[in-house]
Amino acid sequence: MGNCIPSLDKETKSLPIDTIFKLPSPLPKWPPGTGDFGSGHVDLGGLEVCQIVTFNKVWAIDKGGPDNLGATFYEPSPIPDGFSMFGCYCQPNNQPLFGWVLVGKDNAGEILKNPVDYTLVWSSESSRFKNKNSIHHGYIWLPTPPEGYKALGHVVTASPEKPSLDKIQCVRSDLTDELEVENWIWGLGTTSNANGINIHSIRPRERGIKAQGVSVGTFLARITSDKDDDSNSTLSLTCLKNNKFDTFSSMPNLSQIQTLFEQYSPLIYFHPKEKYLPSSVNWHFANGALIYQKGQESNPSPIEPNGSNLPQGGPNDGAYWLDLPIDEKDKEKAIKGDLPNSEVYLHIKPMLGATFTDIAVWIFHPFNGPGTAKLGLIDVPLGKIGEHIGDWEHVTLRINNFNGVLHKAYFSEHSGGTWLDAPSLEFQKDSNKVVAYSSLNGHAIFPKAGLVLQGAVDIGIRNDTAKSNLVLDCGESYSIVAAENLEIIEPPWLNYTREWGPKISYTLGDEVKKIESLLKGNLKGAFEKLVKVLPNEVYGEEGPTGPKMKGNWNGDEV
C-alpha cells in the first residue's frame, strides 16, 4: 500500500517549517526485510494502522503548560484513503513539533464504527480568558462509542457545533487495552465561574517485552474543580492492542538493527578526571577477575574469558559473587578498565505492542569510584562510600518501527533515570548519534554536561560530567547479546544471576563517623542531614547484579 507517513520535510498548511523538529542528518534507506519495519504501517490483527506525522493546526492557547507558553491542538492531515482518524494531537508550545497519531483501516469488518454522539468536555469560551494566539475559541469533544467499542481520542474544533459522526472512529473492544497518564501537556486552573482542565499524553498501562498495548499518540482531557482533583478519575479513553504481537512482524531484522545502531549509537563522554573506565566483560575476566563461593572463600576460581564456568540461572541467593584479582598490581590494572578496547552489549526489545524497538545499550565498569559530597560551598570526599566492584549502566534508544526514526532516549542514573524526547537530545555534530555523559567515579549517565546533585538543594552527592578526550563510541564495538525477535546465542555471563561484586567489606557506620569527626559546625550538621536523605543504593551494601536481573530487562524503563 506504500508508506503512510508523509515526509518529515513536508510543510503543513498552517505551521512554519522551522518549528518542525528534524534529526540532524538524513536517514539512510533501511535494508530490506520480510516484515513491516519501516513500511509505515502495522497490522494489529485485522486493523491496519499507519502513523501520521503532519498536521493541520486547529486551535492554540498562549498560556499555561510547561514554561507557561501554552499548547497547540492539531488534527492529522493528510489521512491516506481508506484510513480513519482516532483522535487529535496536542503538545506544549515550549518545544518544536515532533508528534504523531495513528490512523486505522478496517481490513476484517466490524472493527471500526462511528461514535453515536459527542460530549463537550471543555471549551475556552466557558473559561472566559483572553488568548492572543487565536481570535477563535477551542472546543474539546469526547466521542460516545457504540456498545462493544471504545474511544481512543478526543476531537478538537474551533466551532461550538458538534463534529460529524464520521469524523472519528471507535475500535472494537478486543483490539483495545487499558492506558495511563504519562506527561502533563497543558492545563488551566479553576475560576469562580468555570472548571479547570488538564491535558495529558497517554500510554499503555502495561508495558514490557510481552505487553500488547499500543500508543495511539492522542491526548486525554480531564476536568478539575475546586472540590476535587482529577488524579483518581476514571479514564475515558483506551489505547490499542496488537493481537499479532507474537509474530514480531513490525520489528527490525538483524541487518536493519545494525543500520539503526550505526545511525543512533551513543557517544559517551567521561569526565577528564575519570580513573575508573569501562571495559569489555571478556577483558575483565581475562585480567584476573575471580568467582567466590560461599563456604569456600579461601579458594576462589579464575573466570574463563567468556564466562563459561559461571553458574547459570537460579536465585540471587548469596551463594556466589565476583571480585577483583588478589594481586595488588593486577587489581590496580583491573579497576582502571580498558576504554580503547571496550565493548557495549545490546538488548533488542519490542515495546508498546512491538510498534517501537528499544535498543538497550549496556556498559560495564570493573569498578565504581568513591563519592564526593557537596555541603554548600564545600566539597567533602566520602572515603569508601560509593565504591563497589562490577558496575552496569545503560542508555536505551527507543526507535519508531513505522519509519525508523529515533523517538526518545533513556539515561540510567543510579537507581532511576531520565527519558528525553528526540528534540531535547544532544547529537554529535553532523550526525544522529546521541551524546551522553558519564558522571565522575559514579558512572551515572546524563543527557547534558554539568553538575547534578543527588540529595537536597545545595547539599548532596556530586554527579559531575564534562566533555573530554575520554569518549566511548558505542557503535565502534558492540555485540547483540539478547533479542526477543531474533535467534541470538546469549553469552554465559548474561545468565549469571548472582552479584558482580562482593558486599562491602567495611562498616558504613564507621565510615560515616570518620567523616563526621573531620567536620565542624554547620558542615557537620549538613553532612548529618545528607546521610538521612540519601537512597540506599548510594551506599552499595550489596554487590550489583547483571543486566538480566534489572527490572527494565523485561519491563519498561522507569
Side-chain angles (χ1 to χ4, degrees):
M1 56 159 271
N3 195 328
C4 290
I5 302 182
S7 167
L8 288 175
D9 295 328
K10 183 172 180 179
E11 184 173 357
T12 61
K13 294 179 180 178
S14 56
L15 194 72
I17 190 68
D18 59 3
T19 67
I20 300 175
F21 173 78
K22 295 186 294 183
L23 289 168
S25 181
L27 294 179
K29 184 176 181 180
W30 308 119
T34 57
D36 291 333
F37 175 80
S39 68
H41 64 96
V42 174
D43 181 4
L44 302 181
L47 175 62
E48 183 180 343
V49 293
C50 75
Q51 195 177 70
I52 306 298
V53 298
T54 53
F55 302 93
N56 285 334
K57 182 165 65 176
V58 179
W59 182 73
I61 172 69
D62 58 12
K63 63 181 180 179
D67 300 326
N68 198 32
L69 294 176
T72 302
F73 295 82
Y74 304 89
E75 65 178 36
S77 178
I79 296 176
D81 291 343
F83 285 79
S84 301
M85 187 172 88
F86 293 135
C88 289
Y89 173 73
C90 178
Q91 75 166 49
N93 291 335
N94 70 334
Q95 61 188 41
L97 180 60
F98 182 66
W100 51 267
V101 291
L102 299 185
V103 296
K105 181 179 181 182
D106 188 345
N107 289 333
E110 300 295 312
I111 289 178
L112 300 180
K113 282 190 177 181
N114 294 334
V116 297
D117 199 0
Y118 292 95
T119 300
L120 181 62
V121 177
W122 179 87
S123 77
S124 60
E125 188 175 9
S126 65
S127 68
R128 303 180 185 277
F129 66 88
K130 294 181 180 180
N131 181 16
K132 296 177 183 178
N133 272 356
S134 177
I135 60 173
H136 303 291
H137 284 291
Y139 303 82
I140 301 176
W141 304 88
L142 175 67
T144 304
E147 186 176 354
Y149 289 74
K150 300 287 187 180
L152 305 180
H154 295 281
V155 177
V156 180
T157 66
S159 165
E161 297 179 3
K162 282 186 179 182
S164 63
L165 294 180
D166 61 359
K167 177 74 173 179
I168 198 169
Q169 294 282 281
C170 300
V171 180
R172 201 172 63 206
S173 297
D174 62 302
L175 274 159
T176 66
D177 211 344
E178 293 184 347
L179 56 75
E180 68 179 17
V181 164
E182 185 177 17
N183 296 318
W184 181 62
I185 297 174
W186 174 75
L188 286 176
T190 59
T191 65
S192 59
N193 53 21
N195 289 330
I197 185 170
N198 279 316
I199 305 294
H200 291 90
S201 62
I202 45 182
R203 63 187 180 185
R205 179 172 296 172
E206 297 295 327
R207 298 178 309 283
I209 62 174
K210 302 296 183 183
Q212 296 174 256
V214 174
S215 287
V216 184
T218 53
F219 65 87
L220 178 70
R222 293 195 288 183
I223 296 299
T224 60
S225 70
D226 288 330
K227 296 181 179 179
D228 59 19
D229 63 53
D230 62 355
S231 59
N232 295 313
S233 60
T234 301
L235 301 186
S236 53
L237 302 175
T238 62
C239 62
L240 287 169
K241 178 191 288 186
N242 186 356
N243 283 345
K244 288 186 66 179
F245 172 84
D246 56 359
T247 68
F248 298 120
S249 61
S250 58
M251 292 285 289
N253 62 25
L254 181 59
S255 62
Q256 290 167 339
I257 289 168
Q258 291 169 338
T259 302
L260 287 166
F261 199 61
E262 289 172 6
Q263 274 292 301
Y264 304 125
S265 56
L267 279 87
I268 300 176
Y269 285 91
F270 297 94
H271 195 278
K273 295 182 179 179
E274 182 63 68
K275 298 178 181 178
Y276 311 109
L277 293 162
S279 76
S280 69
V281 170
N282 288 23
W283 181 92
H284 180 56
F285 292 163
N287 280 272
L290 300 170
I291 180 167
Y292 285 76
Q293 185 175 359
K294 188 175 182 179
Q296 300 182 34
E297 288 85 350
S298 61
N299 189 30
S301 299
I303 305 171
E304 295 295 326
N306 64 355
S308 59
N309 62 329
L310 293 174
Q312 301 288 285
N316 182 21
D317 52 9
Y320 297 90
W321 62 91
L322 308 188
D323 206 341
L324 296 171
I326 296 173
D327 180 81
E328 287 301 321
K329 286 186 177 180
D330 291 341
K331 182 182 296 185
E332 185 66 20
K333 178 183 178 181
I335 67 174
K336 291 180 179 178
D338 181 35
L339 179 60
N341 298 301
S342 291
E343 183 178 25
V344 299
Y345 306 99
L346 309 187
H347 179 204
I348 312 302
K349 303 165 57 178
M351 291 300 296
L352 303 176
T355 57
F356 286 80
T357 295
D358 276 10
I359 302 180
V361 185
W362 290 92
I363 304 105
F364 175 71
H365 289 258
F367 189 76
N368 209 58
T372 298
K374 177 176 170 57
L375 306 178
L377 299 177
I378 305 298
D379 289 338
V380 178
L382 292 180
K384 293 185 177 182
I385 295 177
E387 288 186 354
H388 61 260
I389 296 166
D391 181 28
W392 284 99
E393 303 291 349
H394 71 284
V395 176
T396 296
L397 308 172
R398 179 158 293 175
I399 295 165
N400 189 325
N401 287 349
F402 289 91
N403 56 7
V405 171
L406 177 66
H407 179 53
K408 57 174 63 176
Y410 179 86
F411 303 83
S412 66
E413 300 159 5
H414 302 297
S415 59
T418 300
W419 275 114
L420 280 187
D421 290 338
S424 299
L425 297 173
E426 180 182 346
F427 293 93
Q428 188 73 359
K429 185 179 180 181
D430 299 325
S431 81
N432 295 327
K433 290 179 175 291
V434 175
V435 172
Y437 297 87
S438 178
S439 66
L440 178 62
N441 292 349
H443 306 142
I445 301 180
F446 294 91
K448 304 294 180 185
L451 168 63
V452 176
L453 275 185
Q454 187 179 7
V457 177
D458 208 33
I459 297 175
I461 300 294
R462 295 185 66 101
N463 290 274
D464 290 282
T465 60
K467 275 189 177 175
S468 73
N469 294 327
L470 301 172
V471 58
L472 174 63
D473 185 344
C474 296
E476 287 189 351
S477 182
Y478 68 91
S479 60
I480 300 173
V481 295
E484 307 307 317
N485 62 315
L486 302 174
E487 293 185 4
I488 300 293
I489 298 176
E490 297 181 353
W493 59 259
L494 186 62
N495 292 298
Y496 167 71
T497 57
R498 273 76 172 196
E499 293 166 349
W500 283 70
K503 295 182 180 181
I504 57 174
S505 58
Y506 57 89
T507 303
L508 273 173
D510 291 344
E511 284 292 311
V512 170
K513 289 177 181 178
K514 187 189 301 181
I515 296 168
E516 285 181 339
S517 68
L518 300 175
L519 302 175
K520 296 180 180 180
N522 293 336
L523 286 181
K524 187 171 184 178
F527 180 71
E528 290 172 348
K529 179 192 288 188
L530 174 63
V531 169
K532 292 178 181 178
V533 300
L534 285 178
N536 290 334
E537 56 90 14
V538 170
Y539 298 116
E541 289 182 297
E542 301 292 329
T545 53
K548 215 170 190 180
M549 298 297 287
K550 314 296 186 186
N552 62 293
W553 184 267
N554 292 318
D556 197 3
E557 307 282 4
V558 294

Coordinates of all heavy atoms in Angstrom, one line a residue, residues 135-176:
I135 N -8.2 34.3 17.6 CA -9.5 35.0 17.7 C -10.6 34.0 17.9 O -11.8 34.4 18.2 CB -9.8 35.9 16.6 CG1 -9.9 35.1 15.2 CG2 -8.7 37.0 16.4 CD1 -10.3 36.0 14.0
H136 N -10.3 32.8 17.7 CA -11.4 31.7 17.8 C -11.3 31.0 19.2 O -10.3 31.1 19.9 CB -11.2 30.7 16.8 CG -11.2 31.2 15.4 ND1 -12.3 31.7 14.8 CD2 -10.2 31.4 14.5 CE1 -12.1 32.2 13.6 NE2 -10.8 31.9 13.3
H137 N -12.3 30.4 19.6 CA -12.3 29.5 20.8 C -12.0 28.1 20.4 O -12.2 27.7 19.2 CB -13.7 29.6 21.5 CG -13.8 30.9 22.3 ND1 -13.1 31.2 23.4 CD2 -14.6 32.0 22.1 CE1 -13.4 32.3 23.9 NE2 -14.4 32.9 23.1
G138 N -11.6 27.3 21.3 CA -11.4 25.9 21.1 C -12.4 25.0 21.9 O -12.8 25.4 23.0
Y139 N -12.8 23.9 21.3 CA -13.8 23.0 21.9 C -13.2 21.6 21.9 O -12.8 21.1 20.8 CB -15.1 23.1 21.2 CG -15.6 24.5 21.1 CD1 -15.2 25.4 20.1 CD2 -16.6 25.0 22.0 CE1 -15.7 26.7 20.1 CE2 -17.1 26.2 21.9 CZ -16.6 27.1 21.0 OH -17.1 28.4 20.9
I140 N -13.2 20.9 23.0 CA -12.7 19.5 23.1 C -13.9 18.6 23.3 O -14.7 18.7 24.3 CB -11.7 19.4 24.3 CG1 -10.5 20.4 24.0 CG2 -11.2 18.0 24.4 CD1 -9.5 20.4 25.2
W141 N -14.0 17.6 22.4 CA -15.2 16.7 22.4 C -14.7 15.3 22.7 O -13.7 14.8 22.3 CB -15.8 16.7 21.1 CG -16.3 18.1 20.6 CD1 -15.6 19.0 19.9 CD2 -17.6 18.7 20.8 NE1 -16.3 20.1 19.7 CE2 -17.5 19.9 20.2 CE3 -18.7 18.3 21.5 CZ2 -18.6 20.8 20.2 CZ3 -19.8 19.1 21.5 CH2 -19.8 20.4 20.9
L142 N -15.5 14.6 23.5 CA -15.3 13.1 23.8 C -16.3 12.3 23.0 O -17.5 12.5 23.2 CB -15.5 12.9 25.3 CG -15.4 11.4 25.7 CD1 -13.9 10.8 25.5 CD2 -15.8 11.2 27.2
P143 N -15.9 11.4 22.1 CA -16.8 10.5 21.4 C -17.5 9.6 22.3 O -16.9 9.1 23.3 CB -15.9 9.8 20.4 CG -14.6 10.5 20.4 CD -14.5 11.1 21.8
T144 N -18.8 9.3 22.0 CA -19.5 8.3 22.7 C -19.5 7.0 21.9 O -20.2 7.0 20.8 CB -21.0 8.7 23.0 OG1 -21.0 9.9 23.7 CG2 -21.8 7.6 23.8
P145 N -18.8 6.0 22.2 CA -18.7 4.8 21.4 C -20.0 3.9 21.4 O -20.7 3.9 22.4 CB -17.5 4.0 21.9 CG -17.5 4.4 23.4 CD -18.0 5.8 23.5
P146 N -20.3 3.2 20.3 CA -21.4 2.2 20.4 C -21.0 1.1 21.3 O -19.8 0.9 21.7 CB -21.5 1.8 19.0 CG -20.2 2.1 18.3 CD -19.6 3.2 19.0
E147 N -22.0 0.3 21.7 CA -21.8 -0.8 22.7 C -20.8 -1.8 22.1 O -20.8 -2.1 20.9 CB -23.1 -1.5 23.0 CG -22.9 -2.6 24.0 CD -24.3 -3.2 24.4 OE1 -25.3 -2.7 23.9 OE2 -24.3 -4.2 25.2
G148 N -19.8 -2.2 22.9 CA -18.8 -3.1 22.4 C -17.6 -2.4 21.8 O -16.7 -3.1 21.3
Y149 N -17.5 -1.1 21.8 CA -16.4 -0.4 21.2 C -15.9 0.6 22.2 O -16.5 1.0 23.2 CB -16.9 0.3 19.9 CG -17.2 -0.6 18.8 CD1 -18.3 -1.4 18.8 CD2 -16.3 -0.8 17.7 CE1 -18.6 -2.3 17.8 CE2 -16.6 -1.7 16.7 CZ -17.7 -2.4 16.7 OH -17.9 -3.3 15.7
K150 N -14.7 1.1 21.9 CA -14.0 2.1 22.8 C -13.5 3.3 22.0 O -13.2 3.2 20.8 CB -12.8 1.5 23.5 CG -13.1 0.2 24.3 CD -13.8 0.6 25.6 CE -14.0 -0.6 26.5 NZ -14.7 -0.2 27.8
A151 N -13.5 4.5 22.6 CA -12.9 5.7 22.0 C -11.4 5.7 22.3 O -11.0 5.4 23.4 CB -13.6 6.9 22.5
L152 N -10.6 6.2 21.4 CA -9.2 6.3 21.6 C -8.7 7.7 21.7 O -7.5 7.9 22.0 CB -8.5 5.7 20.4 CG -8.9 4.2 20.0 CD1 -8.1 3.7 18.8 CD2 -8.6 3.3 21.2
G153 N -9.5 8.7 21.4 CA -9.0 10.1 21.4 C -10.1 11.1 21.4 O -11.3 10.8 21.2
H154 N -9.8 12.4 21.6 CA -10.7 13.5 21.5 C -10.7 14.1 20.1 O -9.7 14.1 19.4 CB -10.3 14.5 22.6 CG -10.4 14.1 24.0 ND1 -11.6 14.0 24.6 CD2 -9.5 13.7 24.8 CE1 -11.4 13.6 25.9 NE2 -10.1 13.4 26.0
V155 N -11.8 14.8 19.8 CA -11.8 15.7 18.7 C -11.8 17.1 19.2 O -12.5 17.5 20.1 CB -13.1 15.5 17.8 CG1 -13.2 16.5 16.7 CG2 -13.2 14.0 17.3
V156 N -11.0 18.0 18.5 CA -10.9 19.4 18.9 C -11.4 20.2 17.7 O -11.1 19.9 16.5 CB -9.5 19.8 19.2 CG1 -9.4 21.3 19.6 CG2 -8.9 18.9 20.3
T157 N -12.3 21.2 18.0 CA -12.8 22.0 16.9 C -12.7 23.5 17.3 O -12.4 23.8 18.5 CB -14.3 21.7 16.7 OG1 -15.1 22.1 17.8 CG2 -14.5 20.3 16.3
A158 N -12.8 24.4 16.3 CA -12.8 25.8 16.5 C -14.2 26.3 16.4 O -14.4 27.5 16.3 CB -11.9 26.5 15.6
S159 N -15.2 25.4 16.5 CA -16.6 25.8 16.4 C -17.4 25.1 17.5 O -17.1 24.0 17.9 CB -17.1 25.3 15.0 OG -18.5 25.4 15.0
P160 N -18.4 25.7 18.0 CA -19.2 25.1 19.1 C -20.1 24.0 18.5 O -20.8 23.3 19.3 CB -20.1 26.2 19.6 CG -20.2 27.2 18.5 CD -18.9 27.1 17.7
E161 N -20.2 23.8 17.2 CA -21.0 22.7 16.6 C -20.4 21.4 16.8 O -19.1 21.2 16.7 CB -21.2 23.0 15.1 CG -22.0 24.2 14.8 CD -22.2 24.5 13.3 OE1 -21.7 23.6 12.6 OE2 -22.7 25.5 12.9
K162 N -21.2 20.4 17.1 CA -20.6 19.0 17.3 C -20.0 18.5 16.0 O -20.5 18.8 14.9 CB -21.8 18.0 17.7 CG -22.2 18.1 19.1 CD -23.2 17.0 19.4 CE -23.7 17.0 20.9 NZ -24.6 15.9 21.2
P163 N -18.9 17.8 16.2 CA -18.2 17.2 14.9 C -19.2 16.2 14.3 O -20.1 15.7 15.0 CB -17.0 16.5 15.5 CG -16.8 17.1 16.9 CD -18.1 17.5 17.4
S164 N -19.0 16.0 13.0 CA -19.8 14.9 12.4 C -19.5 13.6 12.9 O -18.3 13.3 13.4 CB -19.6 15.0 10.9 OG -18.2 14.6 10.6
L165 N -20.4 12.6 12.9 CA -20.2 11.3 13.5 C -19.1 10.5 12.7 O -18.5 9.6 13.3 CB -21.5 10.5 13.5 CG -22.6 11.1 14.5 CD1 -23.8 10.3 14.5 CD2 -22.0 11.2 15.9
D166 N -18.9 10.9 11.5 CA -17.9 10.1 10.7 C -16.5 10.8 10.8 O -15.6 10.4 10.0 CB -18.3 9.9 9.3 CG -18.5 11.3 8.5 OD1 -18.4 12.3 9.1 OD2 -18.9 11.2 7.3
K167 N -16.4 11.8 11.6 CA -15.1 12.5 11.8 C -14.0 11.6 12.4 O -12.8 11.7 12.1 CB -15.3 13.7 12.7 CG -14.0 14.5 13.0 CD -13.6 15.3 11.9 CE -12.4 16.2 12.2 NZ -11.9 17.0 11.1
I168 N -14.5 10.7 13.2 CA -13.6 9.8 14.0 C -14.2 8.4 14.1 O -15.4 8.2 13.8 CB -13.5 10.4 15.5 CG1 -12.2 9.9 16.2 CG2 -14.7 10.2 16.3 CD1 -11.9 10.7 17.5
Q169 N -13.3 7.5 14.4 CA -13.8 6.1 14.5 C -13.4 5.5 15.9 O -12.4 5.9 16.5 CB -13.1 5.2 13.5 CG -13.5 5.5 12.0 CD -14.8 4.9 11.7 OE1 -15.0 3.8 11.4 NE2 -15.8 5.8 11.7
C170 N -14.3 4.7 16.4 CA -14.1 3.9 17.6 C -13.7 2.5 17.3 O -14.0 2.0 16.1 CB -15.4 3.9 18.5 SG -15.9 5.6 19.0
V171 N -13.1 1.8 18.2 CA -12.5 0.5 17.9 C -13.1 -0.6 18.7 O -13.4 -0.4 19.9 CB -10.9 0.5 18.2 CG1 -10.3 -0.8 17.9 CG2 -10.3 1.6 17.3
R172 N -13.3 -1.8 18.1 CA -13.9 -2.9 18.9 C -13.1 -3.2 20.1 O -11.8 -3.2 20.1 CB -14.0 -4.1 18.0 CG -15.0 -5.1 18.4 CD -15.2 -6.2 17.3 NE -13.9 -6.9 17.1 CZ -13.6 -7.5 16.0 NH1 -14.4 -7.4 14.9 NH2 -12.5 -8.1 15.9
S173 N -13.7 -3.5 21.2 CA -13.0 -3.6 22.5 C -11.9 -4.6 22.5 O -10.9 -4.4 23.3 CB -14.1 -3.9 23.6 OG -15.0 -2.9 23.7
D174 N -12.0 -5.7 21.8 CA -11.0 -6.7 21.8 C -9.6 -6.3 21.2 O -8.6 -7.0 21.4 CB -11.4 -8.0 21.2 CG -11.7 -7.8 19.7 OD1 -12.6 -7.0 19.3 OD2 -11.1 -8.5 18.8
L175 N -9.7 -5.1 20.5 CA -8.4 -4.6 20.0 C -8.0 -3.3 20.8 O -7.2 -2.5 20.3 CB -8.6 -4.2 18.5 CG -8.3 -5.4 17.5 CD1 -9.0 -5.2 16.2 CD2 -6.9 -5.6 17.4
T176 N -8.4 -3.2 22.0 CA -8.1 -2.1 22.9 C -7.4 -2.6 24.2 O -7.6 -3.8 24.5 CB -9.2 -1.2 23.2 OG1 -10.2 -1.9 24.0 CG2 -9.9 -0.7 21.9

